[in-house]
Amino acid sequence: MSVSIGELAVRFGCELRGDPGVEVERVATLAEADARSVAFVANPRYRAQLAATRAAVVVLNEASAADCPSAALVADNPHATFARIAAVLHPAPFGAPGVHPSAVIESGAQIDPSAHIAALCVIGAGVVVGARAYIGPQCLLEDGVRVGADVRLVARVTLCRSVEVGERTVIQPGAVIGGDGFGFAQDRGRWLKVPQIGSVRIGPDVEIGANTTIDRGAIEDTLIEEGAKLDNLIQVGHNVRIGAHTALAACVGVSGSTSIGRRCMIGGQVGIGGHLSICDDVMITGCTMVSHSVMRPGVYSGGIPFEEAHTWRRLVGRFKRLEALSTRLKALERRSASAQDLEEDDD
């Protein structure tokens, strides 16, 4: 697909510095771009590459525009503008409307005529698939699933019974939505399974990464709100609520019945305990263990950065001795206080 940079400037509200008739057809990095490519600069660390780029046009901010050797699209948020341009030049593959002959469709399923059902899909009874939805190869939609318009299930996605997926949501390969939560009751030393009778409701414009799992609710539904973004290999427990436009990076684990607010950013490998509340506008850096609720917006960290092995062992040894040192310090404080009391009595 080829588009003029003048059209891109008008469409995305950029200031164009250069020939509006220049045509581009792909996006690329500053280092790899050629005369048909769009590149961008959002991080000052890449300013050095800007002077040598061969890109047809570079998306950047006003501060970087003077250093650009080619045409420039000046934007307040270069990264976001570049993302929108990339979506125009590299649209998602389109599936022609219709049902592949190898798909299995149970009676009572409602498939919009404009939807695409790929090879080896299984569609259960009472399923509703909206307009222009793309159900990729080997997807499984169990009974009662509802998929909104323009949803894209890339491949091998499993939607368990009664799961609801909002419009324009994208779910990457291998994701499992609506499997049973980890619900068991103790009974004389044995575990008794608690039926998981809730479901999962996913809002519009959500993205869920590859091999991520979202458990169905035990009684009420697990809820992923509008615009949330979940990376690959994330575990979301039953009855969790993730607020609108919150983003979770890879390998995050969220235990059951925890509520995460809006516009939060959760770093990779963060572990969040169960039955907690995290308010809106919280950032939690990677590898942090969250063991209590967060009631104030801000940035929170809990992981210890790596060190050389011998230094790490020494630090761990000191950490283990902290309790003994604390006990000794308290004893010294008590002795000091007693001695001070005796001196005051003598006076």
Side-chain angles (χ1 to χ4, degrees), residues 147-168:
V147 173
D150 299 299
V151 164
R152 184 173 182 82
L153 310 183
V154 177
R156 293 182 292 102
V157 172
T158 298
L159 303 181
C160 296
R161 65 187 188 279
S162 302
V163 165
E164 298 182 13
V165 180
E167 297 178 349
R168 298 175 299 281

Side-chain angles (χ1 to χ4, degrees), residues 227-231 234 242-249 263-267:
K229 309 299 180 187
L230 279 64
D231 200 355
I234 288 173
I242 296 177
H245 308 294
T246 281
L248 281 66
R263 299 176 301 277
C264 294
M265 292 187 286
I266 313 296

Side-chain angles (χ1 to χ4, degrees), residues 28-328:
T29 64
L30 287 167
E32 298 296 327
D34 59 20
R36 302 287 288 179
S37 301
V38 180
F40 83 105
V41 178
N43 191 321
R45 289 184 296 180
Y46 293 97
R47 290 277 292 275
Q49 295 183 18
L50 177 59
T53 191
R54 295 179 296 168
V57 64
V58 181
V59 184
L60 36 64
N61 60 21
E62 182 65 41
S64 301
D67 299 324
C68 184
S70 60
L73 289 168
V74 182
D76 293 335
N77 188 336
H79 196 188
T81 301
F82 178 79
R84 294 185 176 101
I85 291 172
V88 171
L89 296 176
H90 302 275
F94 175 76
V99 177
H100 193 276
S102 65
V104 177
I105 312 293
E106 295 287 343
S107 62
Q110 300 177 39
I111 312 296
D112 190 278
S114 63
H116 173 85
I117 310 297
L120 303 176
C121 289
V122 177
I123 310 294
V127 168
V128 176
V129 177
R132 299 173 302 281
Y134 176 92
I135 312 300
Q138 299 184 9
C139 288
L140 168 61
L141 280 60
E142 291 187 351
D143 295 354
V145 164
R146 301 182 70 88
V147 173
D150 299 299
V151 164
R152 184 173 182 82
L153 310 183
V154 177
R156 293 182 292 102
V157 172
T158 298
L159 303 181
C160 296
R161 65 187 188 279
S162 302
V163 165
E164 298 182 13
V165 180
E167 297 178 349
R168 298 175 299 281
T169 284
V170 177
I171 304 180
Q172 300 292 347
V176 178
I177 314 299
D180 279 359
F182 194 65
F184 299 91
Q186 273 274 356
D187 182 25
R188 292 173 289 183
R190 296 186 178 184
W191 293 107
L192 180 65
K193 183 174 178 63
V194 178
Q196 305 291 285
I197 62 174
S199 189
V200 178
R201 289 185 289 130
I202 298 172
D205 301 304
V206 170
E207 179 145 353
I208 296 170
N211 294 322
T212 282
T213 60
I214 302 175
D215 292 343
R216 68 190 312 105
I219 299 176
E220 298 179 343
D221 295 340
T222 301
L223 179 60
I224 313 297
E225 293 184 353
E226 172 187 3
K229 309 299 180 187
L230 279 64
D231 200 355
N232 303 329
L233 295 167
I234 288 173
Q235 160 64 22
V236 177
H238 56 189
N239 298 104
V240 166
R241 183 186 187 103
I242 296 177
H245 308 294
T246 281
L248 281 66
C251 298
V252 167
V254 185
S255 298
S257 299
T258 282
S259 178
I260 301 174
R262 295 168 165 272
R263 299 176 301 277
C264 294
M265 292 187 286
I266 313 296
Q269 297 187 332
V270 166
I272 302 176
H275 303 274
L276 304 181
S277 293
I278 297 173
C279 68
D280 298 343
D281 301 303
V282 167
M283 178 184 293
I284 301 175
T285 61
C287 299
T288 297
M289 178 60 206
V290 182
S291 57
H292 58 271
S293 293
V294 179
M295 307 309 294
R296 291 187 300 173
V299 181
Y300 296 83
S301 298
I304 301 175
F306 81 99
E307 298 283 352
E308 292 183 354
H310 70 278
T311 302
W312 173 251
R313 286 192 290 269
R314 187 167 64 249
L315 291 171
V316 170
R318 289 175 178 173
F319 177 75
K320 289 182 175 179
R321 292 194 292 272
L322 284 176
E323 182 63 27
L325 290 172
S326 176
T327 301
R328 290 174 58 188

Side-chain angles (χ1 to χ4, degrees), residues 1-3 5 8 22-26 36-38 56 89:
M1 181 176 185
S2 180
V3 181
I5 63 175
L8 293 177
V22 171
E23 297 274 329
V24 291
E25 60 187 28
R26 68 183 71 89
R36 302 287 288 179
S37 301
V38 180
L89 296 176

